[in-house]
């Protein structure tokens, strides 16, 4: 059986080209370098973000990155190491599922795959209100009771004519002249009135007698 020259060329070319493909792939890998550089770019509600690029050509790392993140605060608190996770839609950007609390933090990012890498940075995590713009309603002041517990201060209702009249009447009844002191204060006036009535009765009786005597 004789092989045609065309059939022999295809396997021969593939055999000769394989070393060239290996060299090209090795050259591309060498162009990236053998280490990764991490740049801490900021944070998103406590989630730290870092950009991973190759050290030599500064291309973003488009492969899965295996690494960790640790953080140390200004007062000595530590967080991590936390596993790095990729940010969807952003090549070479990594973050963590965990959240840093408010404060100033020194962040260190390290990787072991696809290459060794390291980077440091400082970030500030601010305090964020859970419901911005919401206003709290002040509660009424409370005062202690006899039992020691706090009770709300009683509300004062505006005075009406009926309540004002009732208050005036109660004040008149409970004011000077009520009770034993009031009775004592009215004794001189009672005696004077009795004397006036007696004189008046005597005068009227004398006038009637004079009229009768003149008539007779």
């Amino acid at each position: 059986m004789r092989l045609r020259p065309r059939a022999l060329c295809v396997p021969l070319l593939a055999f000769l080209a394989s070393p060239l493909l290996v060299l090209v792939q090795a050259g591309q890998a060498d162009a990236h370098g053998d280490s990764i550089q991490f740049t801490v770019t900021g944070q998103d509600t406590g989630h730290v973000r870092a950009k991973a690029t190759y050290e030599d050509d500064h291309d973003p790392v488009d492969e899965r990155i295996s690494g960790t993140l640790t953080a140390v605060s200004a007062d000595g608190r530590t967080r991590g190491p936390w596993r790095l996770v990729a940010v969807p839609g952003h090549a070479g950007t990594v973050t963590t599922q965990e959240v840093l609390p408010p404060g100033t933090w020194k962040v260190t990012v390290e990787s072991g795959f696809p290459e060794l890498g390291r980077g440091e940075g400082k970030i500030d995590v601010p305090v964020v209100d859970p419901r911005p713009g919401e206003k709290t309603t002040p509660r009424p002041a409370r005062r202690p009771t006899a039992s020691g517990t706090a009770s709300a201060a009683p509300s004062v209702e505006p005075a009406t004519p009926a309540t004002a009249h009732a208050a005036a009447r109660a004040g008149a009844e409970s004011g000077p002249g009520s009770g034993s002191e009031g009775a004592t204060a009215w004794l001189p006036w009672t005696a004077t009135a009795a004397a006036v009535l007696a004189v008046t009765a005597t005068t009227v009786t004398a006038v009637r007698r004079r009229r009768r005597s003149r008539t007779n």
Side-chain angles (χ1 to χ4, degrees), residues 134-184:
E134 182 179 359
K135 297 182 180 180
T136 57
T137 303
R139 296 182 178 179
R142 292 180 176 271
R143 60 181 182 180
T145 60
S147 59
T149 59
S151 62
S155 59
V156 179
E157 297 181 356
T160 61
T163 56
H165 179 70
R169 183 176 180 182
E173 293 178 355
S174 60
S178 61
S180 60
E181 294 182 356
T184 304

Side-chain angles (χ1 to χ4, degrees), residues 65-69 82-84 110-113:
I65 300 174
S66 177
T68 58
L69 181 146
W82 295 333
R83 185 175 62 88
L84 298 177
E110 296 178 312
S111 67
F113 181 86

Side-chain angles (χ1 to χ4, degrees), residues 112-213:
F113 181 86
E115 302 292 347
L116 296 177
R118 181 182 173 84
E120 295 181 350
K122 183 178 290 186
I123 62 170
D124 293 325
V125 181
V127 177
V128 180
D129 295 334
R131 297 179 181 177
E134 182 179 359
K135 297 182 180 180
T136 57
T137 303
R139 296 182 178 179
R142 292 180 176 271
R143 60 181 182 180
T145 60
S147 59
T149 59
S151 62
S155 59
V156 179
E157 297 181 356
T160 61
T163 56
H165 179 70
R169 183 176 180 182
E173 293 178 355
S174 60
S178 61
S180 60
E181 294 182 356
T184 304
W186 282 98
L187 287 176
W189 296 97
T190 305
T192 302
V196 171
L197 291 176
V199 172
T200 303
T202 304
T203 303
V204 171
T205 303
V207 171
R208 288 180 177 178
R209 288 178 179 177
R210 289 178 182 179
R211 289 180 179 179
R212 292 178 180 176
S213 60

Side-chain angles (χ1 to χ4, degrees), residues 26-45:
Q28 292 178 350
D30 292 339
H32 285 311
D34 58 355
S35 62
I36 295 175
Q37 181 179 2
F38 288 96
T39 303
V40 178
T41 58
Q43 59 86 31
D44 182 11
T45 62

Side-chain angles (χ1 to χ4, degrees), residues 1-27:
M1 181 178 179
R2 296 177 61 182
L3 297 175
R4 295 180 180 180
R6 184 178 297 178
L8 293 174
C9 291
V10 175
L12 181 61
L13 291 175
F15 176 76
L16 295 175
S18 57
L20 296 176
L21 294 176
V22 173
L23 292 175
V24 171
Q25 293 177 355

